[in-house]
Amino acid sequence: QVERKFKVTKGNQDINFKRYWEPFPEIESYLNKYIKPSDKILEIGPGSVPFQQATHYIGFDEGESKHYPNFTKCDVSLEKIPFPDNHFDFVYCRHVLEDISNPMGALDEIQRTCKKGYLETPSPLSEIWDFAEAVHGDYKGYSHHRYFLWNDGKLNIMAKYPIVEKITFNKTNVNELLEEPYNWITPFFFDDKINWKLHQHGWNKEFMVNKASTYTNCINQAIAQSIKQSKHFKEVIKNA
């Protein structure tokens, strides 16, 4: 994996840690077993590190069109993917769904236009870590992410509310768990249909009366399920 090493000083203490933001080369190699040379392969949101096997790209940033062939401008959060049903043999969508306002609509469009594919998002564990993105550990996870996503056989989706900043997690345990690169990601494969579930919480009851206890429990369950899935996925990749 491509790792980034960081060190920050808080008081008299130096804190060393690693981040795993880039695609894992061994996962991309593993995906080749699902792809034939003649396949039409869509990447959604290529950014600066594209999927090498992609034949088509879509994204909301028109500037990307200068860098990628067969690029179509499309905001998957708001628009339909401008291709017919089952047009693509495979889709690669990495670190997009957690960013956008309507991942549910995007998932419906992905399964309409793509026969199968690989979806990846940051893990719930990385989303509650103080140093996932912040230089000084002054906020949890990534500042621009809107959702937690995790895999327990289906793709679970839950809003990342601001109150997450007030929830206390075991920092030592989180630091240690994120030494494992695969604990940074939520990997999800689908074939034909995407089984997803949106978790919702009533504002008054959940946040004002119960101090977000159900929400906090759901995050903790998501973390536990995500770690279990990541361990399994790492073994699959290792033994491929």
Side-chain angles (χ1 to χ4, degrees):
Q1 296 84 20
V2 179
E3 67 178 30
R4 300 187 183 193
K5 295 182 180 180
F6 292 83
K7 182 174 76 171
V8 297
T9 301
K10 298 192 78 171
N12 296 321
Q13 182 183 12
D14 287 338
I15 302 173
N16 296 284
F17 56 92
K18 302 172 185 175
R19 292 171 175 161
Y20 296 91
W21 289 344
E22 281 75 21
F24 294 4
E26 68 271 27
I27 294 178
E28 297 204 350
S29 296
Y30 175 77
L31 295 179
N32 287 329
K33 68 183 294 184
Y34 295 93
I35 296 170
K36 301 190 297 290
S38 59
D39 281 351
K40 286 183 287 189
I41 303 166
L42 175 66
E43 179 171 13
I44 300 174
S48 59
V49 188
F51 183 51
Q52 294 301 312
Q53 288 90 334
T55 59
H56 296 72
Y57 304 87
I58 64 173
F60 71 88
D61 184 357
E62 196 163 329
E64 292 177 314
S65 63
K66 301 175 182 177
H67 305 289
Y68 304 114
N70 296 324
F71 181 88
T72 301
K73 186 175 184 298
C74 174
D75 185 345
V76 294
S77 185
L78 303 173
E79 303 172 288
K80 290 186 176 296
I81 296 175
F83 292 95
D85 294 359
N86 295 318
H87 184 74
F88 295 103
D89 299 291
F90 191 87
V91 61
Y92 179 87
C93 179
R94 180 182 178 274
H95 291 214
V96 172
L97 296 171
E98 72 280 358
D99 293 342
I100 61 180
S101 60
N102 183 18
M104 295 71 69
L107 288 170
D108 287 344
E109 278 298 287
I110 289 170
Q111 73 175 354
R112 179 185 68 80
T113 55
C114 304
K115 298 174 185 176
K116 58 186 175 183
Y118 175 72
L119 315 175
E120 183 183 301
T121 68
S123 68
L125 188 65
S126 70
E127 293 287 5
I128 58 95
W129 191 41
D130 296 341
F131 292 99
E133 178 186 72
V135 175
H136 301 293
D138 46 359
Y139 59 88
K140 291 182 174 68
Y142 305 84
S143 59
H144 57 294
H145 290 181
R146 302 167 185 256
Y147 289 93
F148 292 101
L149 293 99
W150 68 97
N151 179 359
D152 64 357
K154 61 183 173 296
L155 189 60
N156 295 272
I157 308 164
M158 185 171 71
K160 187 179 177 185
Y161 291 117
I163 200 170
V164 75
E165 298 295 336
K166 300 297 183 181
I167 299 173
T168 300
F169 298 95
N170 186 324
K171 292 184 179 181
T172 301
N173 191 40
V174 173
N175 292 351
E176 292 174 352
L177 287 168
L178 286 173
E179 287 289 318
E180 166 53 59
Y182 279 81
N183 283 341
W184 281 76
I185 64 171
T186 292
F188 187 85
F189 287 90
F190 77 93
D191 190 344
D192 186 37
K193 298 296 182 182
I194 302 174
N195 184 13
W196 60 265
K197 178 181 179 180
L198 175 64
H199 298 258
Q200 300 185 76
H201 299 80
W203 181 263
N204 288 333
K205 176 183 177 181
E206 179 54 32
F207 292 87
M208 303 301 290
V209 179
N210 294 332
K211 298 181 180 178
S213 59
T214 304
Y215 183 65
T216 303
N217 290 339
C218 196
I219 294 172
N220 285 323
Q221 290 171 10
I223 290 169
Q225 291 166 345
S226 181
I227 291 170
K228 181 179 178 180
Q229 179 65 26
S230 294
K231 182 178 179 180
H232 170 72
F233 185 57
K234 181 181 178 180
E235 289 299 312
V236 169
I237 298 296
K238 179 181 176 181
N239 297 323

